[in-house]
Short mmCIF file of all heavy atoms in Angstrom, two decimals:
data_model
loop_
_atom_site.label_atom_id
_atom_site.label_comp_id
_atom_site.label_asym_id
_atom_site.label_seq_id
_atom_site.Cartn_x
_atom_site.Cartn_y
_atom_site.Cartn_z
N SER A 292 0.84 -1.19 0.01
CA SER A 292 0.00 0.00 0.00
C SER A 292 0.88 1.24 0.00
O SER A 292 2.08 1.16 0.25
CB SER A 292 -0.94 0.02 1.21
OG SER A 292 -0.21 0.06 2.42
N GLY A 293 0.30 2.39 -0.28
CA GLY A 293 1.00 3.65 -0.20
C GLY A 293 1.39 4.28 -1.52
O GLY A 293 1.92 5.41 -1.54
N GLY A 294 1.15 3.60 -2.62
CA GLY A 294 1.46 4.17 -3.92
C GLY A 294 0.52 5.31 -4.28
O GLY A 294 -0.50 5.54 -3.61
N GLY A 295 0.87 6.04 -5.34
CA GLY A 295 0.04 7.14 -5.77
C GLY A 295 0.76 8.02 -6.76
O GLY A 295 1.81 7.68 -7.29
N LEU A 296 0.17 9.19 -7.02
CA LEU A 296 0.71 10.18 -7.95
C LEU A 296 1.35 11.32 -7.15
O LEU A 296 0.69 11.91 -6.29
CB LEU A 296 -0.40 10.72 -8.84
CG LEU A 296 -0.06 11.88 -9.76
CD1 LEU A 296 0.99 11.45 -10.79
CD2 LEU A 296 -1.31 12.40 -10.45
N VAL A 297 2.61 11.61 -7.44
CA VAL A 297 3.33 12.70 -6.78
C VAL A 297 4.10 13.51 -7.81
O VAL A 297 4.44 13.01 -8.89
CB VAL A 297 4.29 12.20 -5.69
CG1 VAL A 297 3.52 11.52 -4.56
CG2 VAL A 297 5.33 11.27 -6.27
N GLN A 298 4.41 14.76 -7.46
CA GLN A 298 5.22 15.60 -8.32
C GLN A 298 6.70 15.30 -8.14
O GLN A 298 7.11 14.79 -7.09
CB GLN A 298 4.95 17.07 -8.01
CG GLN A 298 3.53 17.52 -8.31
CD GLN A 298 3.33 19.01 -8.06
OE1 GLN A 298 4.25 19.73 -7.71
NE2 GLN A 298 2.11 19.47 -8.26
N PRO A 299 7.52 15.58 -9.16
CA PRO A 299 8.97 15.42 -8.98
C PRO A 299 9.46 16.16 -7.75
O PRO A 299 9.04 17.30 -7.49
CB PRO A 299 9.54 16.00 -10.27
CG PRO A 299 8.46 15.81 -11.28
CD PRO A 299 7.17 16.01 -10.52
N GLY A 300 10.35 15.52 -7.00
CA GLY A 300 10.84 16.08 -5.75
C GLY A 300 10.03 15.71 -4.53
O GLY A 300 10.46 15.98 -3.40
N GLY A 301 8.88 15.10 -4.73
CA GLY A 301 8.02 14.71 -3.64
C GLY A 301 8.43 13.40 -2.99
O GLY A 301 9.43 12.79 -3.37
N SER A 302 7.64 12.96 -2.02
CA SER A 302 7.93 11.76 -1.25
C SER A 302 6.72 10.87 -1.15
O SER A 302 5.57 11.32 -1.16
CB SER A 302 8.40 12.12 0.16
OG SER A 302 9.62 12.86 0.14
N LEU A 303 6.97 9.56 -1.01
CA LEU A 303 5.96 8.57 -0.71
C LEU A 303 6.55 7.55 0.24
O LEU A 303 7.78 7.32 0.24
CB LEU A 303 5.47 7.85 -1.96
CG LEU A 303 4.50 8.55 -2.90
CD1 LEU A 303 4.28 7.70 -4.14
CD2 LEU A 303 3.18 8.83 -2.21
N ARG A 304 5.71 6.92 1.03
CA ARG A 304 6.11 5.83 1.91
C ARG A 304 5.26 4.60 1.60
O ARG A 304 4.05 4.61 1.81
CB ARG A 304 5.95 6.20 3.38
CG ARG A 304 6.45 5.15 4.37
CD ARG A 304 6.35 5.67 5.81
NE ARG A 304 6.76 4.70 6.81
CZ ARG A 304 8.00 4.53 7.23
NH1 ARG A 304 8.98 5.26 6.71
NH2 ARG A 304 8.26 3.62 8.16
N LEU A 305 5.91 3.55 1.07
CA LEU A 305 5.23 2.31 0.76
C LEU A 305 5.29 1.37 1.96
O LEU A 305 6.28 1.34 2.69
CB LEU A 305 5.86 1.63 -0.45
CG LEU A 305 5.98 2.44 -1.73
CD1 LEU A 305 6.55 1.57 -2.85
CD2 LEU A 305 4.64 3.03 -2.14
N SER A 306 4.25 0.57 2.13
CA SER A 306 4.20 -0.43 3.18
C SER A 306 3.90 -1.79 2.58
O SER A 306 3.21 -1.91 1.58
CB SER A 306 3.11 -0.09 4.20
OG SER A 306 3.36 1.14 4.85
N CYS A 307 4.44 -2.83 3.22
CA CYS A 307 4.15 -4.21 2.86
C CYS A 307 3.78 -4.95 4.12
O CYS A 307 4.64 -5.21 4.97
CB CYS A 307 5.37 -4.85 2.20
SG CYS A 307 5.17 -6.62 1.84
N ALA A 308 2.52 -5.28 4.26
CA ALA A 308 2.03 -6.03 5.40
C ALA A 308 2.11 -7.52 5.10
O ALA A 308 1.71 -7.96 4.02
CB ALA A 308 0.60 -5.63 5.74
N THR A 309 2.62 -8.31 6.06
CA THR A 309 2.83 -9.74 5.84
C THR A 309 2.06 -10.57 6.85
O THR A 309 1.65 -10.10 7.90
CB THR A 309 4.32 -10.11 5.93
OG1 THR A 309 4.75 -10.04 7.30
CG2 THR A 309 5.17 -9.16 5.10
N SER A 310 1.92 -11.85 6.51
CA SER A 310 1.31 -12.81 7.42
C SER A 310 1.89 -14.19 7.15
O SER A 310 2.36 -14.47 6.05
CB SER A 310 -0.21 -12.84 7.26
OG SER A 310 -0.58 -13.28 5.97
N GLY A 311 1.88 -15.06 8.17
CA GLY A 311 2.17 -16.47 7.99
C GLY A 311 3.58 -16.93 8.35
O GLY A 311 3.75 -18.09 8.73
N SER A 312 4.59 -16.06 8.24
CA SER A 312 5.98 -16.47 8.48
C SER A 312 6.82 -15.31 8.97
O SER A 312 6.46 -14.15 8.80
CB SER A 312 6.62 -17.02 7.21
OG SER A 312 5.96 -18.20 6.76
N VAL A 313 7.96 -15.64 9.59
CA VAL A 313 9.03 -14.69 9.86
C VAL A 313 10.04 -14.83 8.71
O VAL A 313 10.55 -15.92 8.47
CB VAL A 313 9.71 -14.94 11.21
CG1 VAL A 313 10.87 -13.97 11.41
CG2 VAL A 313 8.70 -14.82 12.33
N PHE A 314 10.31 -13.73 8.01
CA PHE A 314 11.09 -13.78 6.78
C PHE A 314 12.56 -13.41 7.01
O PHE A 314 12.85 -12.42 7.69
CB PHE A 314 10.49 -12.86 5.73
CG PHE A 314 9.07 -13.23 5.38
CD1 PHE A 314 8.01 -12.46 5.83
CD2 PHE A 314 8.83 -14.34 4.60
CE1 PHE A 314 6.71 -12.82 5.50
CE2 PHE A 314 7.53 -14.70 4.28
CZ PHE A 314 6.47 -13.94 4.73
N SER A 315 13.47 -14.20 6.43
CA SER A 315 14.89 -13.90 6.55
C SER A 315 15.30 -12.72 5.68
O SER A 315 16.10 -11.90 6.09
CB SER A 315 15.72 -15.13 6.20
OG SER A 315 15.54 -15.50 4.83
N ILE A 316 14.77 -12.65 4.48
CA ILE A 316 15.06 -11.58 3.54
C ILE A 316 13.76 -11.00 3.01
O ILE A 316 12.85 -11.74 2.63
CB ILE A 316 15.93 -12.08 2.36
CG1 ILE A 316 17.30 -12.51 2.85
CG2 ILE A 316 16.06 -11.01 1.29
CD1 ILE A 316 18.19 -11.37 3.30
N MET A 317 13.68 -9.68 2.96
CA MET A 317 12.59 -9.00 2.31
C MET A 317 13.18 -7.98 1.33
O MET A 317 14.31 -7.51 1.51
CB MET A 317 11.66 -8.31 3.32
CG MET A 317 11.06 -9.27 4.33
SD MET A 317 9.84 -8.50 5.43
CE MET A 317 8.47 -8.28 4.30
N ALA A 318 12.40 -7.64 0.30
CA ALA A 318 12.93 -6.76 -0.73
C ALA A 318 11.80 -6.01 -1.42
O ALA A 318 10.64 -6.44 -1.41
CB ALA A 318 13.71 -7.56 -1.76
N TRP A 319 12.17 -4.89 -2.01
CA TRP A 319 11.30 -4.16 -2.92
C TRP A 319 11.85 -4.26 -4.33
O TRP A 319 13.05 -4.07 -4.54
CB TRP A 319 11.18 -2.67 -2.54
CG TRP A 319 10.38 -2.43 -1.30
CD1 TRP A 319 10.84 -2.23 -0.05
CD2 TRP A 319 8.96 -2.35 -1.22
NE1 TRP A 319 9.81 -2.02 0.83
CE2 TRP A 319 8.63 -2.10 0.13
CE3 TRP A 319 7.93 -2.47 -2.15
CZ2 TRP A 319 7.32 -1.95 0.59
CZ3 TRP A 319 6.61 -2.34 -1.70
CH2 TRP A 319 6.32 -2.08 -0.36
N TYR A 320 10.98 -4.58 -5.28
CA TYR A 320 11.28 -4.57 -6.70
C TYR A 320 10.38 -3.54 -7.38
O TYR A 320 9.36 -3.14 -6.82
CB TYR A 320 11.04 -5.94 -7.33
CG TYR A 320 12.05 -7.01 -7.01
CD1 TYR A 320 12.07 -7.63 -5.76
CD2 TYR A 320 12.98 -7.42 -7.96
CE1 TYR A 320 13.00 -8.63 -5.47
CE2 TYR A 320 13.90 -8.42 -7.69
CZ TYR A 320 13.90 -9.01 -6.44
OH TYR A 320 14.82 -10.00 -6.17
N ARG A 321 10.75 -3.14 -8.60
CA ARG A 321 9.87 -2.30 -9.39
C ARG A 321 9.95 -2.67 -10.85
O ARG A 321 10.96 -3.22 -11.31
CB ARG A 321 10.19 -0.82 -9.20
CG ARG A 321 11.53 -0.37 -9.76
CD ARG A 321 11.78 1.09 -9.37
NE ARG A 321 13.02 1.60 -9.92
CZ ARG A 321 13.54 2.79 -9.63
NH1 ARG A 321 12.90 3.60 -8.78
NH2 ARG A 321 14.68 3.18 -10.18
N GLN A 322 8.88 -2.39 -11.59
CA GLN A 322 8.83 -2.70 -13.00
C GLN A 322 8.11 -1.57 -13.73
O GLN A 322 6.94 -1.30 -13.45
CB GLN A 322 8.12 -4.03 -13.24
CG GLN A 322 8.16 -4.48 -14.68
CD GLN A 322 7.72 -5.93 -14.84
OE1 GLN A 322 7.01 -6.47 -14.00
NE2 GLN A 322 8.18 -6.57 -15.91
N ALA A 323 8.81 -0.94 -14.65
CA ALA A 323 8.24 0.09 -15.50
C ALA A 323 7.74 -0.56 -16.80
O ALA A 323 8.19 -1.64 -17.18
CB ALA A 323 9.27 1.17 -15.82
N PRO A 324 6.79 0.09 -17.49
CA PRO A 324 6.27 -0.47 -18.74
C PRO A 324 7.38 -0.79 -19.74
O PRO A 324 8.24 0.05 -20.00
CB PRO A 324 5.34 0.61 -19.27
CG PRO A 324 4.91 1.35 -18.05
CD PRO A 324 6.11 1.35 -17.14
N GLY A 325 7.36 -1.99 -20.29
CA GLY A 325 8.33 -2.40 -21.28
C GLY A 325 9.71 -2.73 -20.74
O GLY A 325 10.62 -2.97 -21.54
N LYS A 326 9.87 -2.75 -19.43
CA LYS A 326 11.18 -3.02 -18.83
C LYS A 326 11.12 -4.23 -17.90
O LYS A 326 10.07 -4.62 -17.43
CB LYS A 326 11.68 -1.80 -18.06
CG LYS A 326 11.87 -0.56 -18.90
CD LYS A 326 12.54 0.55 -18.13
CE LYS A 326 13.99 0.19 -17.81
NZ LYS A 326 14.70 1.33 -17.14
N GLN A 327 12.28 -4.83 -17.66
CA GLN A 327 12.40 -5.96 -16.75
C GLN A 327 12.17 -5.51 -15.31
O GLN A 327 12.54 -4.41 -14.91
CB GLN A 327 13.79 -6.58 -16.91
CG GLN A 327 14.04 -7.82 -16.07
CD GLN A 327 15.44 -8.37 -16.28
OE1 GLN A 327 16.24 -7.81 -17.02
NE2 GLN A 327 15.74 -9.49 -15.63
N ARG A 328 11.56 -6.39 -14.53
CA ARG A 328 11.44 -6.13 -13.10
C ARG A 328 12.84 -6.08 -12.48
O ARG A 328 13.66 -6.97 -12.72
CB ARG A 328 10.60 -7.20 -12.43
CG ARG A 328 10.29 -6.92 -10.97
CD ARG A 328 9.32 -7.93 -10.37
NE ARG A 328 8.03 -7.92 -11.05
CZ ARG A 328 6.98 -8.63 -10.66
NH1 ARG A 328 7.06 -9.41 -9.59
NH2 ARG A 328 5.85 -8.57 -11.35
N GLN A 329 13.12 -5.04 -11.68
CA GLN A 329 14.45 -4.87 -11.14
C GLN A 329 14.41 -4.69 -9.63
O GLN A 329 13.45 -4.18 -9.06
CB GLN A 329 15.17 -3.67 -11.78
CG GLN A 329 14.52 -2.33 -11.51
CD GLN A 329 15.27 -1.19 -12.15
OE1 GLN A 329 15.76 -1.31 -13.28
NE2 GLN A 329 15.39 -0.08 -11.44
N LEU A 330 15.49 -5.12 -9.00
CA LEU A 330 15.63 -5.01 -7.56
C LEU A 330 15.89 -3.56 -7.16
O LEU A 330 16.74 -2.89 -7.73
CB LEU A 330 16.78 -5.90 -7.08
CG LEU A 330 17.03 -5.94 -5.58
CD1 LEU A 330 15.86 -6.57 -4.83
CD2 LEU A 330 18.32 -6.74 -5.29
#
């Protein structure tokens, strides 16, 4: 959650709520149109 539309120079805070396990590694990835998903 936390995505949206912002102007250049602005800020956003994304959240990832989890359930079921304690995780050793967590990560954020992103994917732009026509591009590979990247770490």
Side-chain angles (χ1 to χ4, degrees):
S292 62
L296 174 64
V297 297
Q298 296 183 3
S302 297
L303 284 174
R304 184 175 178 87
L305 306 183
S306 298
C307 174
T309 73
S310 64
S312 296
V313 177
F314 299 106
S315 64
I316 294 290
M317 301 185 73
W319 288 98
Y320 286 75
R321 67 186 182 187
Q322 186 167 24
K326 299 188 68 175
Q327 183 180 3
R328 186 174 298 185
Q329 64 179 39
L330 182 65

